[in-house]
Structure formats: structure tokens, C-alpha cells
Amino acid sequence: HPRLCQAFSAPTPSEAKRRRAVTAVGGTTTAGELVDHPLLQRRLATASPIFSAQIDLHRLPFLRGHTVGGQVIVPGAALLEAALAAAGHGREGATPQLEEVTLPALLALPAEGALELQTQLSGGSGESRVEVYGRATGEETWRVHLTARLRVDGGEPGTPLDLQAVQ
């Protein structure tokens, strides 16, 4: 139809980067927004902000330098980066800060395959939190690898993150 063809325009590069896409996440099909960050990769279409990424040595070759006892370990600094990047996503100029950070378990890459990483933001009752979970691709059980309380823009401790601004 000629009228439809005239009304169509290609997305700009920034629109293309933020386009809606469908991907397989954890064996299910989930819509999400592509994110230009190697530890976030996709913002899932969920009520609370959840970011999902696949991590392997092909995508992140620097991890080869983080081997302990023959096993590649994702450094704690990478988990902190995922948490801070998720908290700052879509909030230009914001300065997210993490408090009360705990790293309850090491995150090791499987000998073959990839890791699935999920970074989740949550808030309620005047407090905002971030948690980073991981599992080997194909496994069912998620394990928590980072938890922290969030505050943004140098506010008073416990100033909740505005989750609406992130979404």
C-alpha cells in the first residue's frame, strides 16, 4: 500500500539500539530492550527493572586473567559494575552509590558454555536494593552473588532509587 510505505521511516541509530526485541532467556521467550553494556545486555519487560546478560570468554576475554585454581572467576568489581550500571540505566547524570555491599558467593564460569547473569533492582518501604544473580546456561537454580542498598546523586543514606525513572 503506497500510503503505508510513505509513512514508514527507518529508526535512528539510538532508536535501533533501544528497540524492542524478543530473545530466549532461561528457556522462555521474553521481550526486552537491548542495552549497550556487556554485563546488562537486555532490560527485560518486567514490572521491576531486571537486566539479563550472557557471559562467556568469547564475549568477555579479559576474564581469562581471573583464574583461581584453574577456574575462571568473575571478579567482584564486574558484579559491582553490573549493579551500578543497572542503577544508572536511563538516568543520565545520575550518580548511583552502593551501600552495605555483600558478595555471598563466587561466580565461576563453567568449563564449557556460558553464564546467565541477572541484575535486579527493587524498592519499597523507603529502601531501594540491587541484587546480582548467576547460573550456568541450562541450569534451573539462580544463586545470588551480590546484594546492596542503593542511593542516587549523593542523597542521604537510604534515599530510595526512583524505579520509575529507570523503567
Side-chain angles (χ1 to χ4, degrees):
H1 191 279
R3 180 178 275 168
L4 291 175
C5 292
Q6 291 172 350
F8 176 78
S9 64
T12 66
S14 64
E15 289 170 332
K17 196 181 286 184
R18 296 179 57 90
R19 74 183 184 275
R20 304 290 292 174
V22 175
T23 186
V25 178
T28 61
T29 301
T30 306
E33 168 192 342
L34 297 178
V35 177
D36 190 21
H37 192 286
L39 298 173
L40 301 181
Q41 296 176 7
R42 184 172 310 282
R43 161 69 167 83
L44 302 180
T46 56
S48 295
I50 298 176
F51 297 86
S52 180
Q54 292 266 325
I55 297 177
D56 59 30
L57 292 176
H58 177 71
R59 288 181 182 95
L60 301 174
F62 76 90
L63 291 175
R64 283 188 179 89
H66 298 275
T67 303
V68 177
Q71 181 125 30
V72 177
I73 304 295
V74 177
L79 299 175
L80 289 167
E81 170 60 23
L84 288 168
H89 178 71
R91 299 177 43 97
E92 299 303 319
T95 308
Q97 297 176 26
L98 302 178
E99 299 174 337
E100 301 174 14
V101 175
T102 59
L103 300 166
L106 292 175
L107 181 56
L109 279 171
E112 293 189 23
L115 280 174
E116 294 179 47
L117 193 71
Q118 280 194 355
T119 305
Q120 300 181 11
L121 302 174
S122 60
S125 303
E127 184 174 292
S128 296
R129 301 202 54 80
V130 61
E131 296 173 323
V132 179
Y133 294 86
R135 69 179 181 183
T137 300
E139 285 187 3
E140 290 190 26
T141 305
W142 290 94
R143 187 167 186 187
V144 66
H145 296 281
L146 179 141
T147 64
R149 188 167 52 140
L150 287 172
R151 67 181 171 123
V152 179
D153 293 326
E156 294 299 315
T159 301
L161 175 68
D162 179 2
L163 292 177
Q164 296 301 321
V166 176
Q167 295 179 25

